[in-house]
Amino acid sequence: MTKLPDAKLFIDGQLRDATGGKTYDVIGPWTGEPVCKAADATAEDVEAAIVAARRAFDETDWSTNVEKRVALVKKYRELFEKNRARLGDLAVHEAGAARGAVGRAHVDMALDGWDDYLRVFPEVKWEKDYGTREAFGMQNKRIAVHEPVGVVGAITPWNVPLYVNIGKVVAALLAGCTVILKPAPNTPGMGAIFGELAAEAGFPAGVVNVVFGEDPALAGEMLVTDPRVDLISFTGSTGVGKRIMEQGAKTLKRVFLELGGKSCRIVLEDDPNFQMDVAMGMLVFHAGQGCAVQSRLLVPKSRYEEAKAILKGAYANFGDNWGDVENPAHIMGPVISKRQMERVLGYIELGKQEGATLLHGGNARPDKGGGYFIEPTVFVDVDNKMRIAQEEIFGPVLVVIPFEDDEDAIRIANESDYGLSGGVNSGSQERAMNIAKRVRTGSFSINNGMCIAGDIPFGGYKASGIGREWGVEGIEEFLETKLIAYTVAA
C-alpha cells in the first residue's frame, strides 16, 4: 500500500497537529484504502490562522515590500521544483491522477503557471496618473494607487489541486496579501506541502497558513463569514459558490468564484480534420474531472452518423488503455471517491432513462482495483434539454448533440446555465471566429488553440463564476484601487 507523508496544518509559521490531535484517513482513489492521515482542524485552529494572517498583513511590511515578497516567491518556486517527484506522488495517490496526466495539468502545467505569474508580475501597474482637472477654482492632481486587498481565504478543490492552489496562493502573495489556504478534505497533502515549503523558504509568520479537515464546510464557512478575511477565492461547484456569495454578503466580502462548466466542442462540416477533431472529443483525461472540459460534443446533422462511427472506433481503440497506476502512458485513472463514482453512475442511468443512446461504456470497473473506476462513456442521440446535457457530471461521460447550422450550434452552446470554455473546429477562420465571439464563455478555442495557460486570464460567464485567475488579471484580483487627489498650483 502506498504511504504518503501525514498532512499537518501550518499556522503562524508553525507546522502542527490539530488542536486535540484529531486526525482523519485520506482515502486513495486507486485503492479505496487510506494513503495517509491528515490533521482534522478545529474551529480553534481556523481562528488561529485568521488571527495570524490578519496580524501579518496589518503589522509587518509584507504588503509594501515588493522586493522581499518577490524574492521569497521565487525561493518558494525553487523548493517546489526540488519536490517535483513528491508533487507527482501526491497528484496520483490523493487526486487519482494517472501518471500520464501528472506531466500535464497536475504538476507540469501548474509549475509552468507559477513561472508565468513571475513573468507577468512586472506588468502589474501599481499607479495610474489621471492628470489634473479644475474644480471649484482649484487644480486637482489625481492618481490611483493599487494596494493589496488584505487577508485572502483560498478555498480549493480536489480535481487538480496543485494547479488551483498555485493559481490562488502565488497570485495573492505577489499582490502583497496574506493567505489562508483551505484545500479539499480529499487532497490535504497538496495543501500541506505549501505550509512545509513556506517554512523552509522563510516566509514571515502568518503570511502563509494552511488549514484543512474532514468536514468540508467548517473551515470554509469560518473564512467566508469572518470580517477579518477580506477576500474569498473559491474554485468548486456552482452550488457551493452561491452559498459563499450569500454568506459573504454579510460582511460585503470580495468574492472571486471559478465554478462549474458544461462546455461545448463544435466540429463544423467544413473541418478538414473532421475525423481527428471528432475523435479528440473523447472525454477521458483525468476521468473527465475538470471544470473546463468540453463535455458536450456538437456535430452537424449532415455528418452525425459519420461522427458516431468515428467515436465508436476511437473509444474502441482507446479500449482498456487506462486505469493502471504504474503505466506512464495512461492519462485516465479513477474518479476521486466512492461518492463521486455513485454520482457519475447515477447520471449514466439517468441518460438511459432520458432516451439517449449509450454508444460506449457506462459501467463501473471493479476489475481495475479497489478504487473508484468508471469506464469511458459516451451518449449519442442527445437532446440539449436532457439533464445529462445541462448538468455538470464531472466524470468520463461525453454527450453528443446534432445541430442544423451555425446558428443552431451557437444556440445550443449558449443554452446552458454555464459559460466557462469551449471550442470550434472549422476550415474557415472567419466562420470560426464568428462563432467564438457569439458563444458566451470566458475562454474559447479555435482549431484546438490553447486558450488556457498561466499567462492569460481564465474565468467564466453566468453560473461559471465571477472574476479571473492567472495572468496579470489573476494578480489584480487581489488588489484594491485607491484614488488620491491633491491640489496643485495653477
Side-chain angles (χ1 to χ4, degrees), residues 35-88:
V35 293
C36 73
K37 289 190 178 295
D40 193 1
T42 65
E44 185 178 341
D45 298 321
V46 181
E47 168 68 16
I50 294 171
V51 169
R54 186 77 261 167
R55 188 199 67 246
F57 185 80
D58 292 339
E59 299 178 15
T60 76
D61 68 346
W62 179 255
S63 66
T64 56
N65 194 332
V66 177
E67 183 178 349
K68 174 182 179 179
R69 64 180 187 255
V70 170
L72 277 171
V73 169
K74 287 180 177 178
K75 185 176 181 182
Y76 208 19
R77 170 66 178 88
E78 292 168 2
L79 292 172
F80 271 78
E81 185 64 36
K82 290 178 181 177
N83 284 272
R84 187 182 282 263
R86 182 179 167 195
L87 295 170

Side-chain angles (χ1 to χ4, degrees), residues 5 8-11 13-15 71-88 90 111 114 162 166 169-170 173 181 188-204 207-210:
K8 291 185 177 290
L9 310 178
F10 186 66
I11 300 172
Q14 299 294 319
L15 285 167
L72 277 171
V73 169
K74 287 180 177 178
K75 185 176 181 182
Y76 208 19
R77 170 66 178 88
E78 292 168 2
L79 292 172
F80 271 78
E81 185 64 36
K82 290 178 181 177
N83 284 272
R84 187 182 282 263
R86 182 179 167 195
L87 295 170
L90 285 165
L111 295 177
W114 192 322
L162 180 63
I166 287 173
V169 172
V170 175
L173 292 176
L181 172 63
M190 199 64 96
I193 197 169
F194 278 77
E196 294 176 35
L197 299 185
E200 190 173 342
F203 277 84
V207 168
V208 177
N209 304 272
V210 185

Side-chain angles (χ1 to χ4, degrees), residues 114-131:
W114 192 322
D115 295 335
D116 283 329
Y117 268 146
L118 288 168
R119 193 173 298 116
V120 303
F121 181 69
E123 299 174 27
V124 175
K125 305 297 183 187
W126 298 97
E127 274 193 20
K128 181 176 180 179
D129 188 343
Y130 283 86

Side-chain angles (χ1 to χ4, degrees), residues 360-481:
H360 183 91
N363 300 305
R365 290 290 300 274
D367 58 300
K368 291 284 185 181
Y372 313 113
F373 298 93
I374 302 172
E375 59 191 356
T377 299
V378 55
F379 281 103
V380 296
D381 305 322
V382 176
D383 186 285
N384 197 50
K385 291 183 173 60
M386 292 178 179
R387 283 179 60 192
I388 60 168
Q390 287 294 313
E391 298 177 17
E392 185 178 43
I393 297 173
F394 226 66
V397 183
L398 178 70
V399 300
V400 189
I401 304 170
F403 64 86
E404 293 280 0
D405 52 23
D406 292 12
E407 290 299 317
D408 195 36
I410 293 166
R411 176 191 63 79
I412 293 169
N414 286 333
E415 197 176 77
S416 171
D417 289 339
Y418 298 107
L420 191 55
S421 192
V424 63
N425 295 89
S426 172
S428 167
Q429 178 76 12
E430 181 180 0
R431 186 180 177 191
M433 186 63 75
N434 176 61
I435 290 174
K437 289 181 176 179
R438 293 179 60 197
V439 175
R440 290 184 52 76
T441 63
S443 61
F444 204 82
S445 168
I446 293 176
N447 292 330
N448 308 313
M450 188 64 179
C451 61
I452 300 174
D455 63 335
I456 51 180
F458 175 73
Y461 288 16
K462 302 187 285 185
S464 288
I466 298 170
R468 292 296 179 267
E469 202 156 60
W470 300 106
V472 174
E473 292 86 348
I475 299 170
E476 290 174 344
E477 284 288 345
F478 298 98
L479 299 177
E480 291 277 23
T481 299

Side-chain angles (χ1 to χ4, degrees), residues 267-281:
V267 183
L268 301 181
E269 81 287 341
D270 70 349
D271 178 12
N273 303 307
F274 185 85
Q275 181 171 350
M276 179 187 73
D277 288 328
V278 168
M280 284 176 62

